[in-house]
Structure formats: C-alpha cells, structure tokens
Amino acid sequence: MGHKEYFKGVQSIAFEGRESDNPFAFKYYNPDQIVAGKTMREHFKFAIAYWHSFCGQGADPFGAGTQNFPWDNSSDPIQSAKDKADAAFEFISKMGFDYFCFHDFDLIQEADTLAESEKRLNTITDYIKTKQQETGIKLLWGTANCFSNPRYMNGAATNPDFNVVAHAGAQVKMALDATIKLNGENYVFWGGREGYISLLNTDMSRELDHMARFLTMAKDYARAQGFKGTFFIEPKPMEPSKHQYDFDAATSIGFLKNYGLHEDFKLNIEVNHATLAQHTFEHELTVAANDNMLGSIDANRGDYQNGWDTDQFPNNIEETARAMMVFLKAGGLQGGGVNFDAKIRRNSIDLEDLFHAHIGGADTFARGLLVADKVLNDAQFSSFVKERYASFDKGNGSEFEKGSLNLTDLYNFAGANNSAIVPASGKQEYLENIINNHI
Ligand code: XLS
Ligand code: NI
Ligand code: NI
C-alpha cells in the first residue's frame, strides 16, 4: 500500500450486536448471519456509490460545496483521481463492504477530447484494478455520466442532434470497456436527461425509438466483448428533466418489452425515485419482481415534505421491512446488490459522518430483512393472502384462471349464484399490526 491514510482513527467496522453503544459498529448487519438460507453479505451485496461518497462536495443550487475532502488537494487530474481511489478503497475496506459502483467521470475528471478522456480512464482503471486485487473489492456496476456535461442539455441518446447521440455512444462504449476491465457484474443506464422539458419542441415517438436503438447497440457491443452481466434501467420520473422516459418500473418494463430488450435488461429500483413517482418503494419492487426484473437496488430515502431526490441514507425500518418482504418473496435480486446511492447532508462535514451514514444504512436493511423474514414466517400473516384468493383455487374460479371460461360463462354463473357474494374484510389494520409487532 504505502499511501496516505485518509480515515485516521476509524478502524474496521465490526458487528457488535444491538447491545453495543459503539457508534462505529454494526448493531444488526452481521455479514455472516444466515437469514432465509443466505448470509446477509450474500443477500445484500452492499456497494458504495463513488459519486456521492468521494466526489460530492455538498454544493446545492444556493451555495458552493462545504466538504473539504483531503483527497481533493491535487490540481493534477491523474494524481487527484489516484488519491480519490486510495480514499475510496480505504473506506470500502474499513466498512467491510464488497462492492462499489461508478460513473466514468467519477473515477477521473473528463478531459477536453474523447481521446484524452479515454487515456485518463485507461490510466485510472489500471490503478483501480491493482486496488481491487489488493483488497478483493468488486465492481457491482459501472455507468456513464451522460447528463452533467452541458452538451447533454437536450438529452444524450434522445438528443435531437445526431452528433450528441454519437458522442454519448462513444462515452458509453468507453464506460463499458472500463466496466468490463474491472470485472463489473452489471451495467446501469439512468437516463436523467432522456426525456423532455417541453413537448412543444420534442418528437417523443422518434426519441423513444432512438433510445431503444442506442440501448440495443450498447448491449450488442458489450456482449460482443464477452460481457455476461445484466444491464439495468434505473427508472425515475423527473429531475433533472421535467419528464423522464423511464418514469417508473411499469413504464420501463413496457418500453423494454416493446423494443425486445427484456431478455438482457432488468431494473435498478431506487427508493427516492419510487417516491418521486408517487409510488412506494415496495410498489416499485413488486412491479419489477412480477416480471422477474428485480435486478438491483439503489438504497436511499426521500423526504415526505420535499418533492425532489434528497438521497438521504435509509433509516426507515418499516419502509425497508416491507421492501424486504418483496425482496425475499422474489428470491432476492437478479444479479445486482444494494448500492447506497445516498449522500450525507451538506452540513455533515466530519469525515466520520460517512461511516455513520453507511453503518445506519446497512443496519436499516439488516433490520428490515430480519423483520421481513419473521413476518413471512408468521402463519397468521402468510395464510391471509392465500386465503383471500381461495375462490380461484377450485371450481369455476380455477377454470377462469386457466382461461377456459368466456364472458357468457361469467354471466350464466353470476345469474345462477345471485346470493353467493359474501363481503370479506381486507383486514389491513390487523396485518399492519403483525408487521409492527415484529419490528
Ligand atoms: C440519480 C440517479 C443516479 C444513478 C446513476 O438520481 O440515482 O445517481 O443511480 O446514474
Ligand atoms: Ni441511483
Ligand atoms: Ni437518484
């Protein structure tokens, strides 16, 4: 190693159990504990988001950054990227997590030309590859930042100017190369500016075709390079666009099926994107799981009083427990993991705040998983939904499901059974109490 230690004074974060009062220990996340047949480590595959934890300086529309990261001191882009990688790998190792996620230009500053950017990416991925070998830390997914640079103000793959689409293509090719080089397990598309600000200047139908064409080309390229991982679409309804094409899970699945991309693509569901779409996290996970498309999770939380992507660290146990019920019923994630796409608050300026944030996030998911496992094994709970649909398990109900009844059959059946409808309670409060009793 031989490089500088950035997070001095904080050692490896260990599991100490709920009785511990050590703020630098896990209380619930016990990597080796088996829950529902798998260790917590395997269930979650926790990942650190390079952009929030090592790049985000806390700037907001009203003011400059407040963080003074000690790895941001060099004016040389190569040196500063290496310092950032040193800090990142030190932090991830100390957290005891196995994964990280990146955008191309989180790793190193974008240069003025594509060729120079590619050179920089080659240099930093060489460096990161040796850090991966030293530490065993893996890449959960890579992605390309096709939204920050002003050239993308009208979109990337959906830009009305082919020159910009081509530039985005070059960038995605380079990001795929970097992901493959670092043995990335998956690749993400989050289309922050793939959408519109005004329909008055937008040909939506053409843009959707372009987006599908672009994704197909990216998939074909990566497959030709031997990439075996899954591609994820990360739905979000808006911000920075007024309307994003990958609005939510249902919209994204419809799009993927419409363009024949559903074999290669699954979804990366982010908590705060769900709430921005006026859905619950649990809803988005359920929609994805229904189509076997629950690929990965971006863990964070929104704010009930704010209408934007506040990206706070997860700490809502009930919300997470309900999400983990969907997660367990679906048999976990299809290739992905739980990436903390979350940032510490602008006024959380101690380096150690990054530890508290990730410890709390991991403990929230661990606690959610433990609660979900108990609820699903609670006979009072698990029998309820099954019984609620029991009329489809026999007789005409089962014929209906098989597709052997037509509308006239329903007419005849209903006419002959005029008095058969017995109102049944949905028992929501009873079920909510069962969940709370397990928290
Ligand atoms: C922004 C998104 C972004 C993606 C990766 O809201 O969450 O961070 O996860 O581009
Ligand atoms: Ni995200
Ligand atoms: Ni987000």
Side-chain angles (χ1 to χ4, degrees), residues 192-272:
R193 298 194 195 269
E194 312 294 23
Y196 62 81
I197 311 174
S198 169
L199 276 178
L200 293 178
N201 57 19
T202 304
D203 185 335
M204 192 201 286
S205 162
R206 212 163 171 184
E207 291 198 358
L208 286 167
D209 287 349
H210 292 177
M211 188 158 85
R213 192 83 279 284
F214 188 95
L215 294 174
T216 306
M217 291 163 82
K219 180 258 299 173
D220 289 345
Y221 172 77
R223 291 292 182 236
Q225 307 309 303
F227 179 68
K228 298 268 186 307
T230 307
F231 301 92
F232 299 139
I233 298 283
E234 184 179 321
K236 186 177 183 181
M238 67 190 110
E239 194 206 12
S241 307
K242 168 191 157 58
H243 177 97
Q244 196 175 312
Y245 292 140
D246 301 319
F247 192 93
D248 59 2
T251 310
S252 303
I253 291 172
F255 169 85
L256 291 172
K257 288 192 172 170
N258 198 12
Y259 289 98
L261 289 164
H262 51 290
E263 302 293 337
D264 294 274
F265 284 75
K266 297 191 185 294
L267 302 185
N268 179 30
I269 302 293
E270 178 162 324
V271 188
N272 205 165

Coordinates of all heavy atoms in Angstrom, one line a residue, residues 192-272:
G192 N -31.1 10.5 -17.0 CA -31.5 11.7 -16.3 C -32.0 12.8 -17.3 O -33.0 13.5 -17.0
R193 N -31.4 12.8 -18.5 CA -31.9 13.8 -19.5 C -32.6 13.2 -20.7 O -32.8 13.8 -21.7 CB -30.8 14.8 -19.9 CG -30.3 15.6 -18.6 CD -29.4 16.7 -19.0 NE -28.7 17.2 -17.8 CZ -29.2 18.2 -17.0 NH1 -30.3 18.7 -17.2 NH2 -28.4 18.5 -15.9
E194 N -32.8 11.8 -20.5 CA -33.6 11.1 -21.6 C -35.1 11.3 -21.3 O -35.7 10.5 -20.6 CB -33.2 9.7 -21.7 CG -31.8 9.3 -21.6 CD -31.0 9.8 -22.8 OE1 -31.4 10.7 -23.5 OE2 -29.9 9.2 -23.1
G195 N -35.6 12.4 -21.8 CA -37.0 12.8 -21.5 C -37.2 14.2 -22.2 O -36.5 14.5 -23.1
Y196 N -38.1 14.9 -21.7 CA -38.2 16.3 -22.3 C -38.5 17.3 -21.2 O -38.8 17.0 -20.1 CB -39.4 16.3 -23.3 CG -40.7 16.0 -22.7 CD1 -41.5 17.0 -22.0 CD2 -41.3 14.7 -22.8 CE1 -42.7 16.7 -21.5 CE2 -42.5 14.4 -22.2 CZ -43.2 15.4 -21.6 OH -44.5 15.1 -21.0
I197 N -38.2 18.6 -21.6 CA -38.5 19.7 -20.8 C -39.9 20.3 -21.3 O -40.7 20.8 -20.5 CB -37.4 20.8 -20.8 CG1 -36.1 20.1 -20.5 CG2 -37.7 21.8 -19.7 CD1 -34.9 21.0 -20.6
S198 N -40.0 20.3 -22.6 CA -41.3 20.8 -23.2 C -41.6 19.9 -24.4 O -40.8 19.6 -25.3 CB -41.2 22.2 -23.7 OG -42.3 22.6 -24.5
L199 N -42.9 19.5 -24.5 CA -43.3 18.7 -25.7 C -43.4 19.6 -26.9 O -43.5 19.1 -28.1 CB -44.7 18.1 -25.4 CG -44.7 16.7 -24.6 CD1 -46.1 16.2 -24.4 CD2 -43.9 15.7 -25.4
L200 N -43.4 20.9 -26.8 CA -43.6 21.8 -27.9 C -42.4 21.6 -28.9 O -42.5 21.8 -30.1 CB -43.6 23.3 -27.5 CG -44.9 23.6 -26.7 CD1 -44.8 25.1 -26.3 CD2 -46.1 23.4 -27.6
N201 N -41.2 21.2 -28.3 CA -40.1 21.1 -29.2 C -39.6 19.6 -29.3 O -38.4 19.4 -29.7 CB -38.9 22.0 -28.7 CG -38.5 21.7 -27.3 OD1 -38.8 20.7 -26.7 ND2 -37.9 22.7 -26.6
T202 N -40.4 18.7 -29.0 CA -40.0 17.3 -28.8 C -40.8 16.3 -29.7 O -42.0 16.4 -29.7 CB -40.1 16.9 -27.3 OG1 -39.3 17.8 -26.5 CG2 -39.6 15.5 -27.1
D203 N -40.1 15.5 -30.4 CA -40.7 14.4 -31.1 C -40.6 13.1 -30.2 O -39.6 12.4 -30.4 CB -40.1 14.2 -32.5 CG -40.8 13.1 -33.3 OD1 -41.5 12.2 -32.8 OD2 -40.7 13.2 -34.6
M204 N -41.5 12.9 -29.4 CA -41.4 11.8 -28.4 C -41.2 10.5 -29.0 O -40.4 9.7 -28.6 CB -42.6 11.8 -27.4 CG -42.3 11.0 -26.2 SD -43.8 10.5 -25.3 CE -44.3 12.0 -24.5
S205 N -42.0 10.2 -30.0 CA -42.0 8.9 -30.6 C -40.6 8.6 -31.2 O -40.1 7.5 -31.0 CB -43.1 8.8 -31.6 OG -42.9 7.8 -32.5
R206 N -40.1 9.6 -31.9 CA -38.8 9.4 -32.5 C -37.7 9.2 -31.4 O -36.8 8.4 -31.6 CB -38.5 10.6 -33.4 CG -37.7 10.3 -34.6 CD -37.7 11.4 -35.6 NE -36.7 11.2 -36.6 CZ -36.5 12.0 -37.6 NH1 -37.1 13.1 -37.7 NH2 -35.6 11.7 -38.5
E207 N -37.8 10.0 -30.4 CA -36.8 9.9 -29.3 C -36.8 8.5 -28.6 O -35.8 8.0 -28.3 CB -37.0 11.0 -28.3 CG -36.7 12.4 -28.8 CD -36.5 13.5 -27.8 OE1 -36.6 13.2 -26.6 OE2 -36.1 14.6 -28.2
L208 N -38.0 8.0 -28.4 CA -38.1 6.6 -27.8 C -37.5 5.6 -28.7 O -36.7 4.7 -28.3 CB -39.6 6.3 -27.5 CG -40.2 7.0 -26.3 CD1 -41.7 6.8 -26.3 CD2 -39.5 6.5 -25.0
D209 N -37.7 5.7 -30.0 CA -37.1 4.8 -31.0 C -35.5 4.9 -30.9 O -34.8 3.9 -30.9 CB -37.5 5.1 -32.4 CG -38.9 4.6 -32.7 OD1 -39.5 3.9 -31.9 OD2 -39.4 5.0 -33.8
H210 N -35.1 6.1 -30.8 CA -33.6 6.4 -30.7 C -33.1 5.8 -29.4 O -32.0 5.1 -29.4 CB -33.3 7.9 -30.7 CG -33.6 8.5 -32.1 ND1 -33.4 9.9 -32.3 CD2 -34.0 8.0 -33.2 CE1 -33.8 10.2 -33.5 NE2 -34.1 9.0 -34.1
M211 N -33.8 5.9 -28.3 CA -33.3 5.4 -27.1 C -33.2 3.9 -27.2 O -32.2 3.3 -26.7 CB -34.2 5.8 -25.9 CG -33.7 5.4 -24.6 SD -34.5 6.4 -23.3 CE -36.0 5.5 -23.0
A212 N -34.2 3.2 -27.8 CA -34.1 1.8 -27.9 C -33.0 1.3 -28.8 O -32.3 0.4 -28.5 CB -35.4 1.3 -28.4
R213 N -32.8 2.1 -29.9 CA -31.7 1.7 -30.8 C -30.3 1.8 -30.1 O -29.5 1.0 -30.2 CB -31.7 2.7 -32.0 CG -30.9 2.5 -33.2 CD -31.6 1.5 -34.2 NE -31.5 0.1 -33.8 CZ -30.3 -0.6 -33.9 NH1 -29.3 -0.1 -34.4 NH2 -30.3 -1.9 -33.6
F214 N -30.2 2.9 -29.3 CA -29.0 3.2 -28.6 C -28.7 2.0 -27.6 O -27.6 1.5 -27.5 CB -29.1 4.5 -27.9 CG -27.8 5.0 -27.2 CD1 -27.0 5.9 -27.9 CD2 -27.5 4.7 -25.9 CE1 -25.9 6.4 -27.3 CE2 -26.3 5.1 -25.3 CZ -25.5 6.0 -26.0
L215 N -29.7 1.7 -26.8 CA -29.5 0.6 -25.8 C -29.2 -0.7 -26.5 O -28.4 -1.5 -26.0 CB -30.8 0.4 -25.0 CG -31.1 1.6 -24.1 CD1 -32.5 1.4 -23.4 CD2 -30.0 1.9 -23.0
T216 N -29.8 -1.0 -27.6 CA -29.6 -2.2 -28.4 C -28.1 -2.2 -28.8 O -27.4 -3.3 -28.7 CB -30.5 -2.3 -29.6 OG1 -31.8 -2.2 -29.1 CG2 -30.3 -3.7 -30.3
M217 N -27.6 -1.1 -29.3 CA -26.2 -1.0 -29.8 C -25.3 -1.3 -28.6 O -24.3 -2.0 -28.7 CB -25.9 0.3 -30.4 CG -26.6 0.6 -31.7 SD -26.7 2.3 -32.2 CE -25.1 2.5 -32.8
A218 N -25.6 -0.7 -27.5 CA -24.7 -0.8 -26.3 C -24.7 -2.3 -25.8 O -23.6 -2.8 -25.6 CB -25.2 0.1 -25.2
K219 N -25.8 -2.9 -25.8 CA -25.9 -4.3 -25.4 C -25.2 -5.2 -26.4 O -24.4 -6.0 -26.0 CB -27.4 -4.7 -25.4 CG -27.8 -6.0 -24.9 CD -28.1 -7.0 -26.1 CE -29.3 -6.6 -26.9 NZ -29.5 -7.4 -28.1
D220 N -25.4 -5.0 -27.7 CA -24.7 -5.8 -28.7 C -23.2 -5.6 -28.5 O -22.4 -6.6 -28.6 CB -25.1 -5.4 -30.1 CG -26.5 -5.8 -30.4 OD1 -27.1 -6.7 -29.6 OD2 -27.1 -5.4 -31.4
Y221 N -22.7 -4.4 -28.3 CA -21.3 -4.2 -28.2 C -20.7 -4.9 -27.0 O -19.7 -5.7 -27.1 CB -21.0 -2.7 -28.1 CG -19.5 -2.4 -27.7 CD1 -18.5 -2.5 -28.7 CD2 -19.1 -2.1 -26.4 CE1 -17.2 -2.4 -28.4 CE2 -17.7 -2.0 -26.1 CZ -16.8 -2.1 -27.1 OH -15.5 -1.9 -26.8
A222 N -21.4 -4.8 -25.8 CA -20.9 -5.4 -24.6 C -20.9 -6.9 -24.7 O -19.9 -7.6 -24.3 CB -21.7 -4.9 -23.4
R223 N -21.9 -7.4 -25.3 CA -22.0 -8.9 -25.5 C -20.9 -9.4 -26.4 O -20.3 -10.4 -26.1 CB -23.4 -9.3 -26.1 CG -24.6 -9.1 -25.1 CD -24.5 -10.1 -23.9 NE -25.7 -9.9 -23.1 CZ -25.6 -9.7 -21.8 NH1 -24.5 -9.5 -21.1 NH2 -26.7 -9.6 -21.1
A224 N -20.6 -8.6 -27.4 CA -19.5 -9.0 -28.4 C -18.1 -9.0 -27.6 O -17.2 -9.7 -28.1 CB -19.5 -8.1 -29.6
Q225 N -18.0 -8.1 -26.6 CA -16.8 -8.1 -25.8 C -16.8 -9.2 -24.7 O -15.9 -9.2 -23.9 CB -16.6 -6.8 -25.1 CG -16.7 -5.5 -26.0 CD -15.8 -5.6 -27.2 OE1 -14.6 -5.8 -27.1 NE2 -16.4 -5.6 -28.4
G226 N -17.8 -10.0 -24.7 CA -17.8 -11.1 -23.7 C -18.5 -10.8 -22.4 O -18.4 -11.5 -21.4
F227 N -19.1 -9.6 -22.3 CA -19.8 -9.2 -21.1 C -21.0 -10.1 -20.8 O -21.9 -10.2 -21.6 CB -20.2 -7.7 -21.2 CG -20.9 -7.2 -19.9 CD1 -20.3 -7.0 -18.7 CD2 -22.3 -6.8 -20.0 CE1 -20.9 -6.6 -17.6 CE2 -22.9 -6.3 -18.9 CZ -22.3 -6.2 -17.7
K228 N -21.0 -10.7 -19.6 CA -22.1 -11.7 -19.3 C -23.1 -11.1 -18.3 O -24.1 -11.7 -18.0 CB -21.5 -12.9 -18.6 CG -20.5 -13.7 -19.5 CD -21.2 -14.8 -20.3 CE -20.3 -15.7 -21.1 NZ -19.3 -15.0 -22.0
G229 N -22.8 -9.9 -17.8 CA -23.7 -9.3 -16.8 C -25.0 -8.9 -17.3 O -25.3 -9.0 -18.5
T230 N -25.8 -8.3 -16.4 CA -27.1 -7.8 -16.7 C -27.0 -6.3 -16.9 O -26.2 -5.6 -16.2 CB -28.1 -8.1 -15.6 OG1 -28.0 -9.5 -15.3 CG2 -29.5 -7.8 -16.0
F231 N -27.8 -5.8 -17.8 CA -28.0 -4.3 -18.0 C -29.2 -3.9 -17.1 O -30.2 -4.6 -17.2 CB -28.2 -4.0 -19.4 CG -27.1 -4.4 -20.3 CD1 -27.1 -5.6 -20.9 CD2 -26.0 -3.6 -20.5 CE1 -26.1 -6.1 -21.7 CE2 -24.9 -4.0 -21.3 CZ -25.0 -5.2 -21.9
F232 N -29.1 -2.8 -16.4 CA -30.2 -2.3 -15.6 C -30.6 -1.0 -16.2 O -29.8 -0.1 -16.4 CB -29.8 -2.1 -14.2 CG -29.4 -3.4 -13.5 CD1 -28.3 -3.4 -12.6 CD2 -30.0 -4.6 -13.7 CE1 -27.9 -4.5 -11.9 CE2 -29.6 -5.7 -13.0 CZ -28.5 -5.7 -12.1
I233 N -31.9 -0.8 -16.2 CA -32.5 0.5 -16.4 C -32.9 1.0 -15.0 O -33.5 0.3 -14.2 CB -33.8 0.5 -17.3 CG1 -33.5 0.0 -18.7 CG2 -34.5 1.8 -17.3 CD1 -32.9 1.0 -19.6
E234 N -32.6 2.3 -14.7 CA -32.9 2.8 -13.4 C -34.1 3.8 -13.6 O -33.8 5.0 -14.0 CB -31.7 3.5 -12.8 CG -31.9 4.0 -11.4 CD -30.7 4.6 -10.7 OE1 -29.6 4.0 -10.9 OE2 -30.8 5.6 -10.1
P235 N -35.3 3.5 -13.3 CA -36.4 4.4 -13.5 C -36.4 5.6 -12.6 O -35.9 5.5 -11.4 CB -37.7 3.6 -13.3 CG -37.2 2.1 -13.1 CD -35.8 2.2 -12.7
K236 N -36.8 6.7 -13.1 CA -37.0 7.9 -12.3 C -38.0 8.8 -13.1 O -37.9 8.9 -14.3 CB -35.7 8.6 -12.1 CG -35.7 9.8 -11.1 CD -34.4 10.5 -10.9 CE -34.4 11.6 -9.9 NZ -33.1 12.3 -9.7
P237 N -39.0 9.4 -12.4 CA -40.0 10.1 -13.2 C -39.6 11.5 -13.7 O -40.0 11.9 -14.8 CB -41.1 10.3 -12.2 CG -40.5 10.3 -10.9 CD -39.3 9.4 -11.0
M238 N -38.7 12.1 -13.0 CA -38.3 13.5 -13.4 C -37.0 13.9 -12.6 O -36.6 13.1 -11.8 CB -39.4 14.5 -12.9 CG -39.5 14.5 -11.4 SD -40.9 15.3 -10.8 CE -41.9 14.0 -10.2
E239 N -36.5 15.1 -12.9 CA -35.4 15.6 -12.2 C -34.1 14.9 -12.6 O -33.8 13.8 -12.2 CB -35.5 15.5 -10.7 CG -34.5 16.4 -9.9 CD -34.2 15.9 -8.5 OE1 -34.5 14.8 -8.1 OE2 -33.5 16.7 -7.9
P240 N -33.3 15.5 -13.5 CA -33.4 16.9 -14.0 C -34.4 17.2 -15.1 O -34.7 18.4 -15.2 CB -32.0 17.2 -14.4 CG -31.4 15.9 -14.9 CD -32.0 14.9 -14.0
S241 N -34.8 16.2 -15.9 CA -35.9 16.5 -16.9 C -37.2 16.8 -16.2 O -37.4 16.3 -15.1 CB -36.0 15.4 -17.8 OG -34.8 15.0 -18.4
K242 N -38.1 17.5 -16.9 CA -39.4 17.6 -16.4 C -40.1 16.3 -16.4 O -40.8 15.9 -15.5 CB -40.2 18.6 -17.3 CG -41.7 18.6 -17.0 CD -42.5 19.4 -18.0 CE -44.0 18.9 -18.1 NZ -44.7 19.1 -16.8
H243 N -39.9 15.5 -17.5 CA -40.5 14.2 -17.6 C -39.4 13.3 -18.2 O -38.8 13.5 -19.2 CB -41.7 14.2 -18.6 CG -42.2 12.8 -18.8 ND1 -43.3 12.4 -18.1 CD2 -41.8 11.8 -19.6 CE1 -43.6 11.1 -18.5 NE2 -42.7 10.8 -19.4
Q244 N -39.1 12.2 -17.4 CA -38.1 11.2 -17.9 C -38.8 10.0 -18.5 O -39.9 9.6 -18.0 CB -37.3 10.8 -16.7 CG -36.0 10.1 -17.1 CD -35.1 9.8 -15.9 OE1 -34.9 10.6 -15.0 NE2 -34.6 8.6 -15.8
Y245 N -38.3 9.5 -19.6 CA -39.0 8.4 -20.3 C -39.1 7.2 -19.5 O -40.0 6.4 -19.5 CB -38.3 8.1 -21.7 CG -38.5 9.2 -22.7 CD1 -37.4 9.6 -23.5 CD2 -39.7 9.9 -22.8 CE1 -37.6 10.7 -24.4 CE2 -39.8 11.0 -23.7 CZ -38.8 11.3 -24.5 OH -39.0 12.4 -25.4
D246 N -38.0 6.9 -18.7 CA -38.1 5.7 -17.8 C -38.8 6.1 -16.5 O -38.2 6.1 -15.4 CB -36.7 5.2 -17.4 CG -35.9 4.8 -18.7 OD1 -36.5 4.2 -19.6 OD2 -34.7 5.2 -18.7
F247 N -40.0 6.5 -16.6 CA -40.8 7.1 -15.5 C -40.8 6.3 -14.2 O -40.5 6.8 -13.1 CB -42.2 7.4 -15.9 CG -43.0 8.3 -15.0 CD1 -43.0 9.7 -15.3 CD2 -43.7 7.8 -14.0 CE1 -43.7 10.5 -14.4 CE2 -44.4 8.6 -13.1 CZ -44.4 10.0 -13.3
D248 N -41.2 5.0 -14.4 CA -41.3 4.1 -13.2 C -41.1 2.7 -13.7 O -40.8 2.5 -14.9 CB -42.6 4.3 -12.5 CG -43.8 4.0 -13.3 OD1 -43.6 3.6 -14.5 OD2 -44.9 4.2 -12.8
A249 N -41.2 1.7 -12.8 CA -40.9 0.3 -13.2 C -41.9 -0.1 -14.3 O -41.4 -0.7 -15.3 CB -41.0 -0.6 -12.0
A250 N -43.1 0.2 -14.2 CA -44.1 -0.3 -15.2 C -43.8 0.3 -16.5 O -43.8 -0.4 -17.6 CB -45.5 0.0 -14.7
T251 N -43.5 1.6 -16.6 CA -43.2 2.2 -17.9 C -42.0 1.6 -18.5 O -41.9 1.4 -19.7 CB -43.0 3.7 -17.6 OG1 -44.1 4.3 -16.9 CG2 -42.9 4.5 -19.0
S252 N -41.0 1.4 -17.7 CA -39.7 0.9 -18.2 C -39.8 -0.5 -18.7 O -39.3 -0.9 -19.7 CB -38.6 1.0 -17.1 OG -38.5 2.3 -16.6
I253 N -40.6 -1.3 -18.0 CA -40.8 -2.7 -18.4 C -41.6 -2.7 -19.8 O -41.2 -3.5 -20.7 CB -41.5 -3.6 -17.4 CG1 -40.6 -3.8 -16.2 CG2 -42.0 -4.9 -17.9 CD1 -41.3 -4.4 -14.9
G254 N -42.6 -1.9 -19.9 CA -43.3 -1.8 -21.1 C -42.4 -1.4 -22.3 O -42.5 -2.0 -23.4
F255 N -41.5 -0.4 -22.0 CA -40.6 0.0 -23.0 C -39.6 -1.1 -23.4 O -39.5 -1.4 -24.6 CB -39.8 1.2 -22.5 CG -38.6 1.6 -23.3 CD1 -38.7 2.5 -24.4 CD2 -37.3 1.1 -23.0 CE1 -37.6 2.8 -25.2 CE2 -36.2 1.4 -23.8 CZ -36.4 2.3 -24.8
L256 N -39.1 -1.8 -22.5 CA -38.1 -2.9 -22.8 C -38.8 -4.0 -23.6 O -38.2 -4.5 -24.5 CB -37.6 -3.5 -21.5 CG -36.6 -2.5 -20.7 CD1 -36.3 -3.1 -19.3 CD2 -35.3 -2.3 -21.5
K257 N -40.1 -4.3 -23.2 CA -40.8 -5.4 -24.0 C -41.1 -4.9 -25.4 O -41.0 -5.7 -26.3 CB -42.0 -5.8 -23.2 CG -41.7 -6.6 -22.0 CD -43.0 -7.2 -21.4 CE -42.6 -8.2 -20.3 NZ -43.8 -8.6 -19.5
N258 N -41.5 -3.7 -25.5 CA -41.9 -3.1 -26.7 C -40.8 -3.2 -27.8 O -41.0 -3.4 -28.9 CB -42.3 -1.6 -26.5 CG -43.1 -1.0 -27.6 OD1 -43.6 -1.8 -28.5 ND2 -43.3 0.3 -27.6
Y259 N -39.5 -3.0 -27.3 CA -38.4 -3.0 -28.2 C -37.5 -4.3 -28.1 O -36.4 -4.3 -28.6 CB -37.5 -1.8 -27.9 CG -38.2 -0.5 -28.3 CD1 -38.8 0.3 -27.4 CD2 -38.1 0.0 -29.6 CE1 -39.4 1.5 -27.8 CE2 -38.7 1.2 -30.0 CZ -39.4 1.9 -29.1 OH -40.0 3.1 -29.5
G260 N -38.1 -5.3 -27.5 CA -37.4 -6.6 -27.4 C -36.1 -6.6 -26.6 O -35.2 -7.3 -26.9
L261 N -36.0 -5.8 -25.6 CA -34.8 -5.7 -24.8 C -34.9 -6.4 -23.4 O -34.0 -6.4 -22.6 CB -34.5 -4.2 -24.5 CG -34.0 -3.5 -25.8 CD1 -34.0 -2.0 -25.6 CD2 -32.5 -3.9 -26.1
H262 N -36.1 -7.0 -23.2 CA -36.4 -7.6 -21.8 C -35.5 -8.8 -21.5 O -35.5 -9.2 -20.3 CB -37.8 -7.9 -21.7 CG -38.4 -8.7 -22.8 ND1 -38.6 -8.3 -24.1 CD2 -38.8 -10.0 -22.8 CE1 -39.0 -9.2 -24.8 NE2 -39.2 -10.3 -24.1
E263 N -34.9 -9.4 -22.4 CA -34.0 -10.6 -22.1 C -32.7 -10.1 -21.4 O -32.1 -10.8 -20.6 CB -33.7 -11.4 -23.3 CG -34.9 -12.0 -24.1 CD -35.6 -13.0 -23.3 OE1 -35.1 -13.6 -22.4 OE2 -36.8 -13.2 -23.6
D264 N -32.2 -9.0 -21.9 CA -30.9 -8.5 -21.4 C -31.0 -7.5 -20.3 O -30.0 -7.2 -19.6 CB -30.1 -7.9 -22.6 CG -29.8 -9.0 -23.6 OD1 -28.8 -9.6 -23.5 OD2 -30.6 -9.2 -24.6
F265 N -32.1 -6.8 -20.2 CA -32.2 -5.7 -19.2 C -33.2 -6.1 -18.1 O -34.2 -6.7 -18.3 CB -32.8 -4.5 -19.9 CG -31.8 -3.8 -20.8 CD1 -31.5 -4.3 -22.1 CD2 -31.3 -2.6 -20.4 CE1 -30.6 -3.6 -22.9 CE2 -30.4 -1.9 -21.3 CZ -30.0 -2.4 -22.5
K266 N -32.8 -5.6 -16.9 CA -33.6 -5.7 -15.7 C -33.6 -4.3 -15.1 O -33.1 -3.3 -15.7 CB -33.2 -6.8 -14.8 CG -33.2 -8.2 -15.4 CD -33.0 -9.3 -14.4 CE -32.9 -10.6 -15.1 NZ -34.2 -11.0 -15.7
L267 N -34.2 -4.2 -13.9 CA -34.4 -2.8 -13.3 C -33.5 -2.6 -12.1 O -33.3 -3.6 -11.3 CB -35.8 -2.5 -13.0 CG -36.8 -2.6 -14.2 CD1 -38.2 -2.2 -13.7 CD2 -36.4 -1.8 -15.4
N268 N -33.1 -1.4 -11.9 CA -32.4 -1.0 -10.7 C -33.4 0.0 -10.0 O -33.6 1.1 -10.5 CB -31.1 -0.3 -11.0 CG -30.3 0.2 -9.8 OD1 -30.5 -0.4 -8.7 ND2 -29.6 1.3 -9.9
I269 N -34.0 -0.4 -8.9 CA -35.0 0.4 -8.3 C -34.4 1.2 -7.2 O -33.8 0.7 -6.3 CB -36.1 -0.6 -7.7 CG1 -36.7 -1.5 -8.7 CG2 -37.2 0.2 -7.0 CD1 -37.5 -0.8 -9.8
E270 N -34.7 2.5 -7.3 CA -34.2 3.4 -6.2 C -35.3 3.9 -5.4 O -36.4 4.4 -5.9 CB -33.4 4.6 -6.9 CG -33.0 5.6 -5.9 CD -31.9 6.6 -6.5 OE1 -31.0 6.1 -7.3 OE2 -31.9 7.7 -6.1
V271 N -35.1 3.9 -4.1 CA -36.2 4.3 -3.2 C -36.8 5.6 -3.4 O -38.0 5.8 -3.6 CB -35.7 4.2 -1.7 CG1 -36.9 4.4 -0.7 CG2 -34.9 3.0 -1.4
N272 N -35.9 6.6 -3.5 CA -36.4 8.0 -3.7 C -37.0 8.3 -5.1 O -37.8 9.2 -5.2 CB -35.2 9.0 -3.4 CG -35.6 10.4 -3.0 OD1 -34.8 11.1 -2.5 ND2 -36.9 10.7 -3.1

